[in-house]
């Protein structure tokens, strides 16, 4: 019996074959087009075969191969790699050439509950996920767009699916960042709801709506303002405090002392972006100072290089950081 035909691709002779699957190329080969544009290579396609130009530099050819193999692995695992996935994998390959990209294609969330596969996009996210798995209290600190909240919600969904917790509770402070709640229409719940919208967005992305509604009605998943946490004991729960930079000292202490037996908590926030009035001490900064070094509590820090939103977001954050640094030097 002849050898089984390999399902994959051709690259230049120097780098051999690139195993891939057509689904990894994206609709209209969009993933390959993105990779070609960002690498400055004319990567071709012939059916299920990929052709990396023979005159490509060794570094670019190897990077292209790594990304294509990772996209193939995602597709083989049942995923549908997007152009955004391609950008994230390329950024990872460029900024961390020592890592194995295939390690970043493995899904995180139990597919029986989630409708989307979630994996770490960079080493900072991977360390964050490992910290959440190994500690009862984790602080995710850094700028917007680094995946702090989204990954925490994904880990909560996975814990619920695997019955390691019996409920998910997600909360954030409702701080008026230049707006006035009193002038918004509706009752108190309707006024507060917009402040919780980012959390609902993450849940919508991870759990089918019908399933979420059922879990919410049974109070298995609860999303509420931080003020509603006072006086409660949260047992056997995965608890997430989002936008913690807007917590006062008293609110932060109140939240951290709500944890009961069998619970796990993740606190996310950007200490440099507080919307608190100047007269209120920032609870997140104080908590980091007071709690660092305590066993069972982990601190994960993200930077502008870890942003996984649109690639312009990273440049925008870096530009603002540079302007702030120049202003402080004057």
């Amino acid at each position: 019996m002849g050898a089984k035909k390999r399902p994959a691709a051709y690259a230049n002779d120097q780098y051999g074959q690139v195993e891939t699957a057509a689904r990894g190329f994206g609709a209209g080969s969009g993933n390959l087009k993105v990779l070609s544009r960002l690498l400055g290579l004319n990567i071709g396609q012939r059916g299920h075969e990929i052709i990396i130009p023979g005159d490509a530099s060794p570094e670019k050819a190897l990077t292209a191969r790594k990304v294509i193999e990772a996209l193939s692995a995602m597709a083989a695992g049942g995923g549908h790699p997007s152009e955004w996935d391609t950008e994230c994998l390329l950024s990872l390959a460029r900024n961390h050439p020592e890592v194995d990209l295939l390690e970043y294609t493995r899904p995180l969330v139990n597919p029986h509950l989630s409708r989307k596969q979630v994996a770490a996009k960079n080493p900072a996210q991977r360390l964050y996920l490992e910290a959440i798995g190994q500690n009862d209290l984790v602080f995710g600190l850094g700028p917007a767009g680094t995946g702090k909240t989204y990954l925490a919600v994904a880990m909560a969904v996975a814990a619920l699916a695997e019955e390691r917790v019996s409920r998910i509770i997600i909360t954030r402070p409702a701080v008026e960042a230049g707006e006035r709640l009193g002038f918004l229409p509706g009752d108190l719940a309707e006024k507060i709801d917009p402040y919780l919208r980012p959390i609902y967005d993450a849940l919508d992305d991870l759990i089918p709506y019908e399933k979420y509604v059922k879990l919410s009605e049974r109070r298995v998943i609860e999303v509420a303002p931080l003020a509603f946490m006072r006086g409660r004991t949260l047992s056997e729960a995965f608890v997430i405090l989002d936008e913690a930079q807007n917590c006062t000292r008293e609110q932060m202490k109140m939240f951290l002392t709500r944890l009961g037996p069998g619970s796990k908590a993740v606190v996310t926030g950007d200490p440099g972006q507080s919307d608190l009035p100047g007269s209120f001490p920032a609870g997140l900064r104080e908590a980091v100072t007071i709690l660092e070094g305590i066993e069972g509590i982990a601190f994960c820090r993200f930077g502008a290089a870890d942003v996984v939103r649109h690639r312009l977001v990273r440049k925008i954050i870096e530009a603002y950081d540079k302007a702030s640094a120049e202003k402080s030097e004057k």
Side-chain angles (χ1 to χ4, degrees):
M1 209 171 182
K4 189 174 181 180
K5 187 177 179 181
R6 301 176 75 182
Y10 168 82
N12 57 23
D13 292 338
Q14 185 178 1
Y15 292 95
Q17 290 193 323
V18 178
E19 297 280 345
T20 189
R23 190 168 58 209
F25 304 160
S29 299
N31 296 343
L32 295 183
K33 292 175 183 177
V34 167
L35 188 60
S36 295
R37 175 170 52 83
L38 296 179
L39 276 176
L41 293 178
N42 185 24
I43 301 174
Q45 178 181 354
R46 187 186 301 124
H48 286 203
E49 296 180 343
I50 300 299
I51 302 171
I52 300 174
D55 59 354
S57 69
E59 181 182 1
K60 285 187 176 182
L62 185 57
T63 298
R65 173 177 175 150
K66 285 181 176 180
V67 174
I68 292 169
E69 287 178 338
L71 291 171
S72 173
M74 291 179 70
H80 294 81
S82 65
E83 294 180 11
W84 179 70
D85 290 319
T86 305
E87 289 191 25
C88 289
L89 287 168
L90 178 57
S91 176
L92 180 59
R94 281 173 159 172
N95 297 327
H96 303 277
E98 75 284 356
V99 306
D100 180 0
L101 291 193
L102 297 181
E103 293 293 327
Y104 290 83
T105 64
R106 297 173 182 172
L108 160 73
V109 177
N110 189 319
H112 296 298
L113 184 59
S114 174
R115 62 183 181 186
K116 187 172 183 178
Q117 293 182 335
V118 179
K121 299 297 183 184
N122 53 52
Q125 287 194 351
R126 190 170 183 178
L127 289 173
Y128 181 53
L129 296 176
E130 290 175 353
I132 293 174
Q134 297 168 5
N135 297 274
D136 288 337
L137 175 58
V138 175
F139 285 78
L141 310 169
T146 50
K148 303 183 303 296
T149 301
Y150 189 87
L151 291 177
V153 174
M155 287 293 278
V157 171
L160 182 65
E162 295 167 9
E163 298 183 351
R164 288 184 279 115
V165 296
S166 60
R167 54 181 173 160
I168 297 172
I169 300 172
I170 310 175
T171 185
R172 57 159 37 187
V175 174
E176 301 178 33
E179 302 89 358
R180 286 293 182 185
L181 282 172
F183 290 100
L184 294 175
D187 58 21
L188 179 60
E190 291 172 322
K191 290 178 180 181
I192 289 174
D193 190 66
Y195 289 88
L196 304 174
R197 189 68 257 167
I199 295 172
Y200 290 123
D201 289 343
L203 288 168
D204 290 345
D205 197 42
L206 290 164
I207 305 177
Y209 179 74
E210 296 78 11
K211 185 169 291 186
Y212 167 73
V213 170
K214 291 180 180 179
L215 293 172
S216 179
E217 288 175 348
R218 291 162 44 203
R219 296 182 183 270
V220 174
I221 297 180
E222 179 182 350
V223 181
L226 181 58
F228 291 9
M229 297 295 107
R230 192 173 298 278
R232 302 177 63 182
T233 298
L234 309 176
S235 303
E236 297 182 0
F238 196 118
V239 192
I240 300 171
L241 171 57
D242 190 36
E243 295 291 325
Q245 73 272 8
N246 292 326
C247 287
T248 64
R249 175 189 299 161
E250 291 74 17
Q251 287 175 323
M252 179 61 72
K253 182 179 179 182
M254 179 272 290
F255 171 80
L256 295 176
T257 55
R258 297 307 92 200
L259 295 181
S263 287
K264 181 185 291 286
V266 178
V267 178
T268 70
D270 181 358
Q273 294 293 326
S274 176
D275 295 318
L276 286 171
S279 59
F280 288 87
L284 181 58
R285 286 182 179 274
E286 182 184 63
V288 171
T289 302
I290 293 175
L291 303 178
E292 192 134 31
I294 296 179
E295 185 178 355
I297 302 178
F299 296 85
C300 298
R301 293 173 170 83
F302 296 83
D306 302 313
V307 170
V308 292
R309 287 181 182 169
H310 192 287
R311 59 185 175 277
L312 283 178
V313 174
R314 183 185 300 113
K315 295 180 180 180
I316 291 169
I317 291 173
E318 290 172 347
Y320 271 94
D321 288 345
K322 181 180 178 181
S324 298
E326 290 174 349
K327 185 177 180 180
S328 63
E329 291 174 358
K330 293 180 179 179

